[in-house]
Amino acid sequence: MSTNAALAVGLGLGAVLLTLDPGAFHLEWEFPWLRGAAERIALCIAAGATVLALGWLYRLLFCPLELLRTPDEVGYIAEDGRTKAQAANEARSRRRVGELPPVYPNGWYRVLDSHMLARGEVKNVYILGQQLAVFRGHDGIAYVLDAYCPHLGANLAVGGRVLGNCIECPFHGWQYRGTDGKCEKIPYAEKVPEFAQVRRWPSCEVNRQVLIWFHCDGLEPQWSIPEQEEITNGQWVYRGRTEHFINAHIQEIPENGADIPHLDHLHTPGIPSGVDLRYTNSKTWEFVRHDWKVEWEPEPEPNSHCSQMRVNHSLTLFGCRLPLLDLRVVARQVGPGVVFLRFNHSFLGQGIMMHCVTPVEPLLQCVTHTMFYQSNIPAVVPKFILKGESIQFERDVMIWNNKKYIAKPLLVKEDSAVRRHRRWYNQFYSENSPRLKYQKDTLDF
Ligand code: FES
Ligand SMILES: [Fe+2]
């Protein structure tokens, strides 16, 4: 039973027992202890309910918001008695994907948040269609290696042990260095062959996240992820994160930022209208509207791998704008997979939301939003912003999960930023960038 349900039941029972008068049923003559017992039970339930209510309030006010959606949970319409998983599978198998760009652009991608990887811990991560062993050495540094041991193929991250800055294979005990992937020791062999090594992925740890660099030609990083000082120095603190899995090509997600007209259509209905696009335009919540003024521009050299979306958001209730709730956001995209959204509000303070898109497979993206906010602003404020963002985002998810990629879209003048965005994003593909292969004989991708 959820906390909310337990609370409701507890309060309900408490209320019933508190009003229960055994005298009305002449029960106290036969069972004189009953009144005392009923009172004691009522008191216990009321106390339990109060504890639950206080716990709920504490969580609301002080704990981070963690909203982790499963791949089928959002963005599909389950009708005619089908489960969400069935609806998702059907939509996936029926969809036409279109003429896709390469599937893994060159750039930095979030692997996990720093707190998820303790010293001496190893995690098996599946991203970019690869099995990776991500581990934190006893030197405190996070390393990323290919997970499969070249000896006989065991997965280093499943039962492997961290020794110093090496990972030891669980099968025969070969040890690989995190720094370069070289095999340092074979416990039963006299000599370690020169070529015994696994692939090391360039990685960095910044803004409390571990990221890896992907380049189809194996080139070393060509730019870095900018450190956000307020996160590093603790001025802004962690207030939560959301996680979504999206069935779409990666480019669809950042392109949304340059698709300015969609904001007025998809994101204008108020947050209470929810995420199901069949009902977001219902009359019930018509009085709550969001207004968006947005510009999108690429940055000049030497930051041509960055672009900026400047957003002025205002809220109207019954047609009246509430200027006190105006919010300015600058969303700076750094490469294909990381965006920093900086919030600035006159009295609700400042903070940053990191939006990271990491391809899991060609048509499956893991998207996280991680919120850091001024520590002196009550957690409920950034949590509300994060929740609001997540509702708006889930509307996009329903579009992405069901759409086709159109290589030559039919655009009008007002859509021009989409074209410019595609030109800008094109820089992250190179000749050898992997493409989705379609196998005609099996009809499988
Ligand atoms: S498979 Fe890894 S040491 Fe043998
Ligand atoms: Fe959107």
Side-chain angles (χ1 to χ4, degrees):
M1 189 187 290
S2 73
T3 316
N4 287 350
L7 187 61
V9 171
L11 282 172
L13 276 174
V16 168
L17 282 165
L18 277 172
T19 52
L20 187 71
D21 178 9
F25 307 101
H26 307 290
L27 290 173
E28 76 273 32
W29 303 113
E30 289 165 54
F31 308 106
W33 48 269
L34 190 59
R35 173 179 277 273
E39 276 171 3
R40 275 200 297 275
I41 291 170
L43 220 72
C44 284
I45 289 175
T50 310
V51 169
L52 276 175
L54 286 175
W56 179 80
L57 203 65
Y58 176 82
R59 276 185 52 180
L60 177 74
L61 293 178
F62 302 108
C63 295
L65 174 73
E66 306 258 341
L67 196 64
L68 312 179
R69 303 289 199 198
T70 58
D72 301 333
E73 204 177 335
V74 178
Y76 292 105
I77 295 176
E79 280 175 324
D80 309 325
R82 285 173 306 168
T83 63
K84 281 194 176 175
Q86 285 167 332
N89 282 336
E90 211 170 277
R92 284 180 200 128
S93 61
R94 284 182 183 170
R95 79 138 18 124
R96 291 286 161 262
V97 293
E99 251 177 78
L100 293 176
V103 289
Y104 302 140
N106 303 320
W108 286 103
Y109 296 105
R110 170 194 170 273
V111 179
L112 40 73
D113 294 344
S114 297
H115 73 267
M116 297 171 178
L117 193 66
R119 212 174 266 249
E121 191 182 6
V122 57
K123 286 257 163 79
N124 188 196
V125 176
Y126 178 62
I127 53 176
L128 293 150
Q130 307 286 325
Q131 291 282 354
L132 305 178
V134 184
F135 67 97
R136 193 181 292 287
H138 291 286
D139 54 4
I141 297 174
Y143 298 105
V144 185
L145 300 178
D146 266 355
Y148 293 125
C149 175
H151 177 220
L152 277 167
N155 187 321
L156 299 172
V158 180
R161 201 162 48 129
V162 177
L163 300 168
N165 65 357
C166 292
I167 179 116
E168 180 195 61
C169 180
F171 205 2
H172 309 90
W174 292 28
Q175 290 172 20
Y176 299 94
R177 281 200 300 252
T179 46
D180 55 7
K182 284 227 175 249
C183 180
E184 202 171 68
K185 186 175 170 188
I186 299 175
Y188 54 89
E190 259 177 37
K191 197 168 173 287
V192 178
E194 245 330 279
F195 48 83
Q197 131 173 58
V198 287
R199 177 182 179 188
R200 173 206 64 110
W201 289 70
S203 61
C204 70
E205 191 160 12
V206 61
N207 306 322
R208 312 223 174 144
Q209 292 187 324
V210 177
L211 299 103
I212 55 166
W213 169 261
F214 168 82
H215 195 286
C216 60
D217 298 319
L219 300 186
E220 287 294 308
Q222 293 160 341
W223 34 270
S224 54
I225 293 291
E227 180 180 346
Q228 309 297 310
E229 237 175 73
E230 298 90 341
I231 296 179
T232 313
N233 64 23
Q235 221 177 315
W236 293 356
V237 295
Y238 175 69
R239 292 303 192 199
R241 76 182 179 104
T242 63
E243 182 177 88
H244 292 86
F245 290 90
I246 294 154
N247 284 117
H249 185 277
I250 180 172
Q251 191 182 306
E252 303 273 20
I253 297 164
E255 191 169 289
N256 207 251
D259 179 359
I260 295 159
H262 97 283
L263 290 162
D264 282 340
H265 195 75
L266 196 69
H267 299 298
T268 290
I271 286 170
S273 314
V275 302
D276 189 327
L277 301 182
R278 291 171 296 174
Y279 313 117
T280 45
N281 282 307
S282 78
K283 297 264 177 246
T284 320
W285 296 100
E286 218 180 25
F287 62 93
V288 192
R289 317 289 287 172
H290 301 274
D291 283 318
W292 308 92
K293 301 254 172 315
V294 180
E295 286 169 10
W296 179 88
E297 287 299 334
E299 289 187 22
E301 285 288 359
N303 292 325
S304 52
H305 59 281
C306 302
S307 65
Q308 286 200 20
M309 180 193 183
R310 294 176 177 277
V311 183
N312 282 317
H313 166 265
S314 54
L315 196 70
T316 55
L317 279 187
F318 299 103
C320 295
R321 189 171 143 222
L322 306 174
L324 275 181
L325 293 179
D326 282 3
L327 192 61
R328 275 173 11 129
V329 186
V330 177
R332 184 176 194 229
Q333 168 124 22
V334 181
V338 181
V339 183
F340 298 99
L341 292 100
R342 280 186 168 254
F343 296 86
N344 195 349
H345 192 275
S346 40
F347 68 92
L348 293 179
Q350 297 179 2
I352 195 160
M353 189 192 288
M354 288 186 286
H355 159 105
C356 300
V357 188
T358 302
V360 179
E361 290 175 354
L363 287 177
L364 181 64
Q365 317 301 324
C366 173
V367 180
T368 55
H369 291 95
T370 311
M371 180 66 118
F372 286 85
Y373 216 83
Q374 260 180 266
S375 57
N376 56 347
I377 298 289
V380 71
V381 171
K383 282 169 70 177
F384 181 77
I385 298 175
L386 185 59
K387 179 68 186 167
E389 158 70 22
S390 143
I391 290 172
Q392 293 287 12
F393 184 76
E394 288 181 8
R395 293 181 187 169
D396 289 309
V397 176
M398 192 173 252
I399 297 286
W400 291 323
N401 278 0
N402 296 284
K403 85 185 287 297
K404 171 183 176 182
Y405 179 82
I406 306 276
K408 292 188 181 118
L410 188 59
L411 300 176
V412 293
K413 191 176 81 184
E414 291 75 6
D415 292 318
S416 66
V418 172
R419 190 171 289 123
R420 288 189 294 126
H421 185 275
R422 288 198 175 188
R423 272 203 298 273
W424 172 77
Y425 200 85
N426 219 24
Q427 66 179 299
F428 305 117
Y429 303 124
S430 19
E431 209 186 325
N432 296 324
S433 289
R435 287 185 173 271
L436 188 68
K437 289 193 183 65
Y438 182 64
Q439 295 171 357
K440 281 194 191 116
D441 44 345
T442 62
L443 293 182
D444 282 329
F445 291 106

